[in-house]
Amino acid sequence: MLVIVLLIQYFAANVSSIKIKILSVINGDNPLYGFVAAAPAIEVAHRDMARQYPHILNNHTVARYTVHSSGMPSCPDAATLMLTLSRNISDILYNSEAGFSAYFSVNPPEVPTFGNLTWQKFDQNDTVAFHAYHSLAVVNNPNPKWEQVRDITSAMAEVSKERWNLTMSVAQQHNDLAISVYEAYQTFAFVLNESFAELENLTGVGFAKRCWNRTFESRTRPVNIDARGSRINSVIFSRFNSPNGVRTVRSRSFKLKTVDLDMI
Ligand SMILES: *[C@@H]1O[C@H](CO)[C@@H](O)[C@H](O)[C@H]1NC(C)=O
Ligand SMILES: *[C@@H]1O[C@H](CO)[C@@H](O)[C@H](O)[C@H]1NC(C)=O
Ligand SMILES: *[C@@H]1O[C@H](CO)[C@@H](O)[C@H](O)[C@H]1NC(C)=O
Ligand SMILES: *[C@@H]1O[C@H](CO)[C@@H](O)[C@H](O)[C@H]1NC(C)=O
Ligand SMILES: *[C@@H]1O[C@H](CO)[C@@H](O)[C@H](O)[C@H]1NC(C)=O
Ligand SMILES: *[C@@H]1O[C@H](CO)[C@@H](O)[C@H](O)[C@H]1NC(C)=O
Ligand SMILES: *[C@@H]1O[C@H](CO)[C@@H](O)[C@H](O)[C@H]1NC(C)=O
Ligand SMILES: *[C@@H]1O[C@H](CO)[C@@H](O)[C@H](O)[C@H]1NC(C)=O
C-alpha cells in the first residue's frame, strides 16, 4: 500500500509570524513507492519550492518532519500501521498553538501495467500474433515528459546518493510516484503563495478547497483536481490499426478518476 502524505500546518497569528510545519509520512521502504522513492523527491521538491517562494518557504518559517515506518509491510499491514502512525502525526501537528492543517495526498496517475506488449518480440513472422493484435487495445496513462524534467530526476538521484548513499537505478529515476510527490508539493506551495495574504482567516478545509476544481500547470504535466479534491487522470486509449501491425497514433484521451488499485 502506498501512503505518502504531506501534512501542512500553519500557525499564523499574523502573516509576519507565520510558522509552517511540513510533515511527510512515508509508510514502508518499497524501492519504487516507499522511502527510497519518496524521500529524495520530497527533498528536491522542497528545495525547488523554497527557491521559488523564498519569502514564504525558508528556514525561519518552515519546520520539517518525517514520519517513516521502515520495512516492507503488506498492504493490509501498512493500513493497520497507519492507525499507529496517526499518533505520531498528531504528536507533531497538534501539540502546541492553534492553527490549521491541510493534507496533501500523493496520487500517482500511473496505472501499473504488467507483461510486455512489444510487437514481434521474439518472432519476425508471428502471423497469429499479428492477427490477434488487431483486436487489442492499449490503455496507458500519460507519463511525465521525462526529458523535460531531467533536472528534477537527476537532482533526486544526487540527493539519494549524497544523503542516503543509495544509487538510484534508471527505473527508479523514471518513477511516476516521485514526480507525483513533486507535483503535490508544488501544488501546495503554489496555493500557499496565492493565499498567503488571507491565511490568517483560512481554515484547513478552506485552504484545501483552493486546490479543488482547478488545473495547475506544471512542467511535469498538468495537475487536474476535481470539484471534490481528487486528482483527475487522463488515459490514452490506442489500438493497432494499420494493416502491417504497427500501432498507430489513433488515440483518444479520456479524463478518468483514479481507481485505487490497491483496493481491488
Ligand atoms: C536552511 O536549512 C538547510 C538545511 O535544513 C541548509 O542546507 C541551508 O543552508 C539553510 N539556509 C540558510 C539560509 O540558512
Ligand atoms: C512513533 O512514536 C512512537 C512512540 O513515541 C515511537 O516509538 C516510534 O518510533 C514512532 N514511529 C515513527 C515511524 O516515527
Ligand atoms: C520487454 O521487451 C523488451 C524488448 O524485447 C525487453 O528489452 C524488456 O526487457 C522486456 N521487458 C520485460 C518486463 O519483459
Ligand atoms: C510467415 O508465416 C506465414 C504463415 O505461417 C507464411 O505463409 C509466410 O510465408 C511466412 N513469411 C516469411 C517471410 O517467412
Ligand atoms: C555506500 O554504499 C556502498 C555500497 O552499498 C558501501 O560500500 C559504502 O561503504 C557506503 N558508504 C557509506 C559512507 O556508507
Ligand atoms: C505569489 O503570489 C503572488 C500574489 O498572488 C503573485 O503575484 C506571485 O506571482 C506569486 N509568485 C509565484 C512565484 O508564483
Ligand atoms: C480576518 O478576519 C478579521 C475579523 O473578521 C478581520 O479583521 C481581518 O482583517 C481579516 N484578515 C484578513 C487578512 O483578511
Ligand atoms: C468548477 O469550475 C467550473 C468552471 O471553472 C464551474 O463552472 C463549476 O461550477 C465549478 N464546480 C464546482 C463544484 O465548484
Side-chain angles (χ1 to χ4, degrees), residues 166-217:
L166 289 170
T167 305
M168 278 189 171
S169 67
V170 172
Q172 284 172 324
Q173 287 181 46
H174 293 83
N175 186 349
D176 191 72
L177 174 103
I179 293 296
S180 303
V181 168
Y182 193 92
E183 288 163 346
Y185 221 99
Q186 201 174 34
T187 306
F188 139 70
F190 184 91
V191 173
L192 178 61
N193 174 62
E194 185 184 71
S195 49
F196 195 59
E198 301 148 72
L199 282 184
E200 195 183 341
N201 291 333
L202 267 185
T203 61
V205 174
F207 184 83
K209 281 189 171 170
R210 298 196 167 204
C211 304
W212 296 6
N213 198 24
R214 289 179 73 169
T215 295
F216 297 90
E217 291 307 331

Short mmCIF file of all heavy atoms in Angstrom, two decimals, residues 166-217:
data_model
loop_
_atom_site.label_atom_id
_atom_site.label_comp_id
_atom_site.label_asym_id
_atom_site.label_seq_id
_atom_site.Cartn_x
_atom_site.Cartn_y
_atom_site.Cartn_z
N LEU A 166 22.45 5.92 -1.57
CA LEU A 166 21.70 4.97 -2.40
C LEU A 166 21.77 5.40 -3.85
O LEU A 166 21.45 6.55 -4.17
CB LEU A 166 20.23 4.92 -1.96
CG LEU A 166 19.94 4.26 -0.62
CD1 LEU A 166 18.50 4.52 -0.22
CD2 LEU A 166 20.22 2.75 -0.72
N THR A 167 22.20 4.50 -4.69
CA THR A 167 22.27 4.80 -6.11
C THR A 167 20.94 4.42 -6.75
O THR A 167 20.52 3.27 -6.69
CB THR A 167 23.42 4.01 -6.76
OG1 THR A 167 24.62 4.31 -6.04
CG2 THR A 167 23.59 4.38 -8.22
N MET A 168 20.30 5.39 -7.35
CA MET A 168 19.01 5.09 -8.00
C MET A 168 19.24 4.45 -9.35
O MET A 168 20.03 4.95 -10.15
CB MET A 168 18.23 6.39 -8.21
CG MET A 168 17.49 6.87 -7.00
SD MET A 168 16.43 8.25 -7.50
CE MET A 168 15.49 8.43 -5.99
N SER A 169 18.52 3.39 -9.59
CA SER A 169 18.59 2.76 -10.91
C SER A 169 17.86 3.66 -11.92
O SER A 169 17.15 4.60 -11.54
CB SER A 169 17.92 1.39 -10.87
OG SER A 169 16.54 1.57 -10.65
N VAL A 170 18.03 3.34 -13.18
CA VAL A 170 17.35 4.12 -14.22
C VAL A 170 15.83 4.06 -14.02
O VAL A 170 15.12 5.06 -14.12
CB VAL A 170 17.77 3.61 -15.62
CG1 VAL A 170 16.93 4.28 -16.70
CG2 VAL A 170 19.24 3.89 -15.86
N ALA A 171 15.34 2.87 -13.68
CA ALA A 171 13.89 2.72 -13.46
C ALA A 171 13.44 3.59 -12.29
O ALA A 171 12.39 4.22 -12.34
CB ALA A 171 13.54 1.26 -13.20
N GLN A 172 14.25 3.63 -11.25
CA GLN A 172 13.87 4.44 -10.09
C GLN A 172 13.89 5.94 -10.42
O GLN A 172 13.17 6.71 -9.82
CB GLN A 172 14.82 4.16 -8.92
CG GLN A 172 14.51 2.83 -8.24
CD GLN A 172 15.56 2.45 -7.22
OE1 GLN A 172 16.75 2.72 -7.39
NE2 GLN A 172 15.15 1.80 -6.16
N GLN A 173 14.72 6.30 -11.37
CA GLN A 173 14.75 7.72 -11.77
C GLN A 173 13.57 8.09 -12.66
O GLN A 173 13.28 9.26 -12.83
CB GLN A 173 16.06 8.03 -12.50
CG GLN A 173 17.24 8.08 -11.55
CD GLN A 173 18.52 8.42 -12.28
OE1 GLN A 173 18.57 9.32 -13.09
NE2 GLN A 173 19.56 7.67 -11.98
N HIS A 174 12.96 7.08 -13.25
CA HIS A 174 11.78 7.35 -14.08
C HIS A 174 10.55 6.84 -13.33
O HIS A 174 9.81 5.99 -13.81
CB HIS A 174 11.91 6.68 -15.44
CG HIS A 174 13.00 7.28 -16.27
ND1 HIS A 174 14.31 6.92 -16.14
CD2 HIS A 174 12.96 8.27 -17.19
CE1 HIS A 174 15.05 7.65 -16.97
NE2 HIS A 174 14.26 8.49 -17.62
N ASN A 175 10.39 7.36 -12.16
CA ASN A 175 9.34 6.86 -11.29
C ASN A 175 8.21 7.87 -11.22
O ASN A 175 8.37 8.99 -10.74
CB ASN A 175 9.95 6.61 -9.90
CG ASN A 175 8.98 5.95 -8.95
OD1 ASN A 175 7.79 5.85 -9.24
ND2 ASN A 175 9.47 5.52 -7.82
N ASP A 176 7.08 7.42 -11.69
CA ASP A 176 5.90 8.28 -11.71
C ASP A 176 5.55 8.79 -10.30
O ASP A 176 5.14 9.93 -10.13
CB ASP A 176 4.73 7.48 -12.27
CG ASP A 176 3.54 8.35 -12.56
OD1 ASP A 176 3.61 9.10 -13.54
OD2 ASP A 176 2.56 8.30 -11.81
N LEU A 177 5.75 7.92 -9.34
CA LEU A 177 5.41 8.31 -7.98
C LEU A 177 6.28 9.49 -7.50
O LEU A 177 5.77 10.41 -6.88
CB LEU A 177 5.61 7.14 -7.02
CG LEU A 177 5.40 7.61 -5.59
CD1 LEU A 177 4.06 7.19 -5.09
CD2 LEU A 177 6.50 7.19 -4.70
N ALA A 178 7.57 9.44 -7.81
CA ALA A 178 8.46 10.51 -7.35
C ALA A 178 8.01 11.84 -7.96
O ALA A 178 7.98 12.88 -7.28
CB ALA A 178 9.90 10.19 -7.74
N ILE A 179 7.62 11.79 -9.22
CA ILE A 179 7.14 13.02 -9.87
C ILE A 179 5.82 13.46 -9.24
O ILE A 179 5.56 14.65 -9.06
CB ILE A 179 7.00 12.78 -11.38
CG1 ILE A 179 8.38 12.58 -12.02
CG2 ILE A 179 6.26 13.93 -12.07
CD1 ILE A 179 9.31 13.79 -11.93
N SER A 180 5.00 12.49 -8.86
CA SER A 180 3.73 12.85 -8.22
C SER A 180 3.95 13.51 -6.86
O SER A 180 3.20 14.40 -6.47
CB SER A 180 2.85 11.61 -8.07
OG SER A 180 2.63 11.02 -9.33
N VAL A 181 4.95 13.05 -6.15
CA VAL A 181 5.31 13.69 -4.88
C VAL A 181 5.69 15.15 -5.16
O VAL A 181 5.23 16.08 -4.49
CB VAL A 181 6.51 12.96 -4.21
CG1 VAL A 181 7.08 13.79 -3.07
CG2 VAL A 181 6.10 11.58 -3.71
N TYR A 182 6.50 15.32 -6.17
CA TYR A 182 6.94 16.66 -6.56
C TYR A 182 5.73 17.53 -6.90
O TYR A 182 5.63 18.69 -6.48
CB TYR A 182 7.88 16.55 -7.76
CG TYR A 182 8.64 17.80 -8.08
CD1 TYR A 182 9.91 18.04 -7.55
CD2 TYR A 182 8.10 18.77 -8.92
CE1 TYR A 182 10.61 19.19 -7.84
CE2 TYR A 182 8.79 19.93 -9.23
CZ TYR A 182 10.05 20.13 -8.68
OH TYR A 182 10.74 21.28 -8.97
N GLU A 183 4.80 16.96 -7.64
CA GLU A 183 3.61 17.73 -8.05
C GLU A 183 2.74 18.11 -6.86
O GLU A 183 2.18 19.21 -6.82
CB GLU A 183 2.80 16.91 -9.07
CG GLU A 183 3.49 16.82 -10.42
CD GLU A 183 2.95 15.72 -11.33
OE1 GLU A 183 2.22 14.82 -10.86
OE2 GLU A 183 3.27 15.74 -12.53
N ALA A 184 2.64 17.20 -5.89
CA ALA A 184 1.83 17.52 -4.71
C ALA A 184 2.46 18.69 -3.95
O ALA A 184 1.77 19.62 -3.50
CB ALA A 184 1.74 16.29 -3.80
N TYR A 185 3.77 18.64 -3.82
CA TYR A 185 4.50 19.71 -3.13
C TYR A 185 4.34 21.04 -3.86
O TYR A 185 4.14 22.10 -3.25
CB TYR A 185 5.97 19.33 -3.07
CG TYR A 185 6.63 19.64 -1.74
CD1 TYR A 185 6.81 18.64 -0.80
CD2 TYR A 185 7.08 20.91 -1.45
CE1 TYR A 185 7.42 18.92 0.42
CE2 TYR A 185 7.69 21.19 -0.24
CZ TYR A 185 7.86 20.19 0.68
OH TYR A 185 8.46 20.47 1.87
N GLN A 186 4.44 20.95 -5.16
CA GLN A 186 4.34 22.14 -5.99
C GLN A 186 2.95 22.77 -5.88
O GLN A 186 2.82 23.99 -5.77
CB GLN A 186 4.58 21.67 -7.43
CG GLN A 186 4.99 22.72 -8.39
CD GLN A 186 5.33 22.08 -9.74
OE1 GLN A 186 4.71 21.08 -10.15
NE2 GLN A 186 6.27 22.64 -10.43
N THR A 187 1.94 21.92 -5.88
CA THR A 187 0.57 22.42 -5.76
C THR A 187 0.37 23.12 -4.43
O THR A 187 -0.18 24.22 -4.35
CB THR A 187 -0.42 21.24 -5.89
OG1 THR A 187 -0.14 20.55 -7.10
CG2 THR A 187 -1.85 21.72 -5.89
N PHE A 188 0.86 22.47 -3.38
CA PHE A 188 0.75 23.06 -2.05
C PHE A 188 1.45 24.43 -2.00
O PHE A 188 0.89 25.41 -1.52
CB PHE A 188 1.33 22.09 -1.02
CG PHE A 188 2.15 22.72 0.06
CD1 PHE A 188 1.55 23.50 1.03
CD2 PHE A 188 3.53 22.54 0.10
CE1 PHE A 188 2.31 24.10 2.02
CE2 PHE A 188 4.28 23.14 1.09
CZ PHE A 188 3.68 23.93 2.05
N ALA A 189 2.66 24.50 -2.56
CA ALA A 189 3.42 25.75 -2.48
C ALA A 189 2.73 26.85 -3.29
O ALA A 189 2.67 28.01 -2.87
CB ALA A 189 4.84 25.53 -2.99
N PHE A 190 2.18 26.47 -4.41
CA PHE A 190 1.50 27.44 -5.26
C PHE A 190 0.30 28.04 -4.52
O PHE A 190 0.12 29.26 -4.49
CB PHE A 190 1.05 26.76 -6.56
CG PHE A 190 0.41 27.69 -7.54
CD1 PHE A 190 1.18 28.32 -8.51
CD2 PHE A 190 -0.95 27.96 -7.50
CE1 PHE A 190 0.60 29.20 -9.41
CE2 PHE A 190 -1.54 28.84 -8.38
CZ PHE A 190 -0.76 29.46 -9.35
N VAL A 191 -0.50 27.17 -3.93
CA VAL A 191 -1.71 27.65 -3.25
C VAL A 191 -1.33 28.44 -1.99
O VAL A 191 -1.98 29.43 -1.65
CB VAL A 191 -2.65 26.47 -2.93
CG1 VAL A 191 -3.83 26.91 -2.09
CG2 VAL A 191 -3.14 25.84 -4.22
N LEU A 192 -0.28 28.00 -1.34
CA LEU A 192 0.18 28.73 -0.15
C LEU A 192 0.56 30.16 -0.52
O LEU A 192 0.15 31.12 0.13
CB LEU A 192 1.36 28.01 0.47
CG LEU A 192 2.00 28.65 1.70
CD1 LEU A 192 0.99 28.75 2.84
CD2 LEU A 192 3.22 27.85 2.15
N ASN A 193 1.32 30.28 -1.59
CA ASN A 193 1.73 31.62 -2.03
C ASN A 193 0.52 32.45 -2.44
O ASN A 193 0.38 33.60 -2.06
CB ASN A 193 2.70 31.49 -3.21
CG ASN A 193 3.04 32.85 -3.79
OD1 ASN A 193 3.60 33.70 -3.11
ND2 ASN A 193 2.68 33.07 -5.05
N GLU A 194 -0.37 31.80 -3.16
CA GLU A 194 -1.53 32.51 -3.69
C GLU A 194 -2.43 33.03 -2.57
O GLU A 194 -3.01 34.11 -2.66
CB GLU A 194 -2.31 31.53 -4.57
CG GLU A 194 -3.48 32.08 -5.31
CD GLU A 194 -4.18 30.94 -6.03
OE1 GLU A 194 -4.82 30.09 -5.37
OE2 GLU A 194 -4.08 30.88 -7.26
N SER A 195 -2.54 32.26 -1.50
CA SER A 195 -3.49 32.65 -0.44
C SER A 195 -2.78 33.25 0.77
O SER A 195 -3.38 33.40 1.83
CB SER A 195 -4.32 31.43 -0.03
OG SER A 195 -3.50 30.34 0.22
N PHE A 196 -1.53 33.57 0.59
CA PHE A 196 -0.70 34.00 1.72
C PHE A 196 -1.31 35.15 2.50
O PHE A 196 -1.36 35.13 3.73
CB PHE A 196 0.69 34.39 1.20
CG PHE A 196 1.71 34.49 2.28
CD1 PHE A 196 1.99 33.39 3.09
CD2 PHE A 196 2.39 35.67 2.50
CE1 PHE A 196 2.94 33.47 4.09
CE2 PHE A 196 3.34 35.75 3.50
CZ PHE A 196 3.62 34.66 4.30
N ALA A 197 -1.81 36.13 1.78
CA ALA A 197 -2.33 37.33 2.46
C ALA A 197 -3.58 37.01 3.27
O ALA A 197 -3.95 37.77 4.18
CB ALA A 197 -2.61 38.41 1.44
N GLU A 198 -4.25 35.91 2.95
CA GLU A 198 -5.52 35.60 3.62
C GLU A 198 -5.40 34.48 4.63
O GLU A 198 -6.40 34.05 5.21
CB GLU A 198 -6.57 35.21 2.58
CG GLU A 198 -6.84 36.28 1.55
CD GLU A 198 -7.19 35.64 0.22
OE1 GLU A 198 -8.29 35.09 0.12
OE2 GLU A 198 -6.35 35.66 -0.70
N LEU A 199 -4.20 33.96 4.83
CA LEU A 199 -4.03 32.78 5.68
C LEU A 199 -4.64 32.97 7.07
O LEU A 199 -5.18 32.04 7.65
CB LEU A 199 -2.55 32.44 5.85
CG LEU A 199 -1.88 31.71 4.69
CD1 LEU A 199 -0.46 31.39 5.07
CD2 LEU A 199 -2.64 30.44 4.33
N GLU A 200 -4.52 34.16 7.55
CA GLU A 200 -4.97 34.48 8.90
C GLU A 200 -6.39 33.96 9.17
O GLU A 200 -6.66 33.43 10.23
CB GLU A 200 -4.94 36.00 9.03
CG GLU A 200 -5.03 36.51 10.42
CD GLU A 200 -5.07 38.05 10.42
OE1 GLU A 200 -4.69 38.66 9.41
OE2 GLU A 200 -5.48 38.59 11.43
N ASN A 201 -7.23 34.10 8.18
CA ASN A 201 -8.63 33.72 8.40
C ASN A 201 -9.02 32.43 7.68
O ASN A 201 -10.19 32.10 7.61
CB ASN A 201 -9.57 34.84 7.96
CG ASN A 201 -9.46 36.04 8.88
OD1 ASN A 201 -9.12 35.90 10.05
ND2 ASN A 201 -9.73 37.23 8.35
N LEU A 202 -8.06 31.71 7.18
CA LEU A 202 -8.41 30.47 6.48
C LEU A 202 -8.47 29.29 7.45
O LEU A 202 -7.77 29.26 8.46
CB LEU A 202 -7.36 30.15 5.42
CG LEU A 202 -7.59 30.64 3.99
CD1 LEU A 202 -6.49 30.09 3.09
CD2 LEU A 202 -8.94 30.21 3.48
N THR A 203 -9.27 28.31 7.08
CA THR A 203 -9.27 27.05 7.81
C THR A 203 -8.58 26.01 6.93
O THR A 203 -8.34 26.26 5.74
CB THR A 203 -10.70 26.56 8.06
OG1 THR A 203 -11.32 26.37 6.78
CG2 THR A 203 -11.50 27.57 8.86
N GLY A 204 -8.29 24.86 7.49
CA GLY A 204 -7.67 23.80 6.70
C GLY A 204 -8.54 23.42 5.51
O GLY A 204 -8.06 23.26 4.39
N VAL A 205 -9.84 23.29 5.78
CA VAL A 205 -10.75 22.94 4.69
C VAL A 205 -10.77 24.05 3.64
O VAL A 205 -10.73 23.81 2.44
CB VAL A 205 -12.18 22.67 5.23
CG1 VAL A 205 -13.16 22.46 4.09
CG2 VAL A 205 -12.16 21.45 6.14
N GLY A 206 -10.80 25.28 4.14
CA GLY A 206 -10.81 26.42 3.22
C GLY A 206 -9.57 26.44 2.35
O GLY A 206 -9.63 26.70 1.14
N PHE A 207 -8.44 26.10 2.95
CA PHE A 207 -7.20 26.06 2.19
C PHE A 207 -7.24 24.93 1.16
O PHE A 207 -6.93 25.13 -0.02
CB PHE A 207 -6.01 25.85 3.14
CG PHE A 207 -4.68 25.89 2.44
CD1 PHE A 207 -4.06 27.10 2.17
CD2 PHE A 207 -4.06 24.71 2.04
CE1 PHE A 207 -2.84 27.14 1.50
CE2 PHE A 207 -2.84 24.74 1.38
CZ PHE A 207 -2.23 25.96 1.11
N ALA A 208 -7.67 23.76 1.61
CA ALA A 208 -7.72 22.61 0.69
C ALA A 208 -8.64 22.91 -0.49
O ALA A 208 -8.34 22.57 -1.63
CB ALA A 208 -8.20 21.37 1.44
N LYS A 209 -9.74 23.59 -0.19
CA LYS A 209 -10.72 23.86 -1.25
C LYS A 209 -10.15 24.77 -2.34
O LYS A 209 -10.67 24.80 -3.45
CB LYS A 209 -11.99 24.47 -0.67
CG LYS A 209 -12.88 23.41 -0.05
CD LYS A 209 -14.24 23.98 0.32
CE LYS A 209 -15.16 22.83 0.72
NZ LYS A 209 -16.41 23.32 1.32
N ARG A 210 -9.11 25.49 -1.99
CA ARG A 210 -8.48 26.34 -3.03
C ARG A 210 -7.76 25.51 -4.08
O ARG A 210 -7.31 26.05 -5.08
CB ARG A 210 -7.53 27.31 -2.38
CG ARG A 210 -8.31 28.21 -1.46
CD ARG A 210 -7.56 29.43 -1.08
NE ARG A 210 -8.54 30.31 -0.47
CZ ARG A 210 -8.43 31.62 -0.40
NH1 ARG A 210 -7.39 32.21 -0.88
NH2 ARG A 210 -9.38 32.34 0.16
N CYS A 211 -7.61 24.24 -3.79
CA CYS A 211 -6.99 23.35 -4.80
C CYS A 211 -8.06 22.68 -5.66
O CYS A 211 -7.73 22.03 -6.65
CB CYS A 211 -6.19 22.25 -4.13
SG CYS A 211 -4.94 22.83 -3.01
N TRP A 212 -9.30 22.75 -5.26
CA TRP A 212 -10.32 21.94 -5.90
C TRP A 212 -10.82 22.57 -7.19
O TRP A 212 -10.82 23.79 -7.34
CB TRP A 212 -11.52 21.74 -4.95
CG TRP A 212 -11.19 20.96 -3.72
CD1 TRP A 212 -9.94 20.54 -3.33
CD2 TRP A 212 -12.09 20.54 -2.70
NE1 TRP A 212 -10.03 19.87 -2.13
CE2 TRP A 212 -11.33 19.86 -1.72
CE3 TRP A 212 -13.47 20.66 -2.51
CZ2 TRP A 212 -11.92 19.30 -0.57
CZ3 TRP A 212 -14.05 20.12 -1.38
CH2 TRP A 212 -13.27 19.45 -0.42
N ASN A 213 -11.26 21.69 -8.06
CA ASN A 213 -11.88 22.15 -9.32
C ASN A 213 -10.95 23.08 -10.09
O ASN A 213 -11.37 24.11 -10.58
CB ASN A 213 -13.22 22.85 -9.00
CG ASN A 213 -14.12 22.96 -10.22
OD1 ASN A 213 -13.99 22.17 -11.17
ND2 ASN A 213 -15.00 23.94 -10.24
N ARG A 214 -9.70 22.69 -10.16
CA ARG A 214 -8.72 23.53 -10.84
C ARG A 214 -7.70 22.67 -11.56
O ARG A 214 -7.50 21.51 -11.22
CB ARG A 214 -7.90 24.34 -9.82
CG ARG A 214 -8.64 25.42 -9.15
CD ARG A 214 -7.73 26.12 -8.16
NE ARG A 214 -6.73 26.96 -8.82
CZ ARG A 214 -5.97 27.83 -8.15
NH1 ARG A 214 -6.09 27.96 -6.86
NH2 ARG A 214 -5.08 28.55 -8.80
N THR A 215 -7.04 23.30 -12.48
CA THR A 215 -5.89 22.66 -13.11
C THR A 215 -4.67 23.50 -12.80
O THR A 215 -4.68 24.72 -12.99
CB THR A 215 -6.09 22.57 -14.63
OG1 THR A 215 -7.19 21.71 -14.88
CG2 THR A 215 -4.85 21.98 -15.31
N PHE A 216 -3.64 22.85 -12.31
CA PHE A 216 -2.37 23.53 -12.05
C PHE A 216 -1.41 23.14 -13.16
O PHE A 216 -1.16 21.94 -13.36
CB PHE A 216 -1.81 23.12 -10.69
CG PHE A 216 -2.69 23.52 -9.55
CD1 PHE A 216 -3.67 22.67 -9.07
CD2 PHE A 216 -2.55 24.77 -8.96
CE1 PHE A 216 -4.50 23.05 -8.03
CE2 PHE A 216 -3.37 25.15 -7.91
CZ PHE A 216 -4.35 24.30 -7.44
N GLU A 217 -0.93 24.12 -13.85
CA GLU A 217 0.03 23.80 -14.90
C GLU A 217 1.37 23.50 -14.24
O GLU A 217 1.76 24.13 -13.28
CB GLU A 217 0.16 24.98 -15.87
CG GLU A 217 -1.09 25.20 -16.73
CD GLU A 217 -1.56 23.93 -17.47
OE1 GLU A 217 -0.70 23.07 -17.80
OE2 GLU A 217 -2.78 23.80 -17.70
#
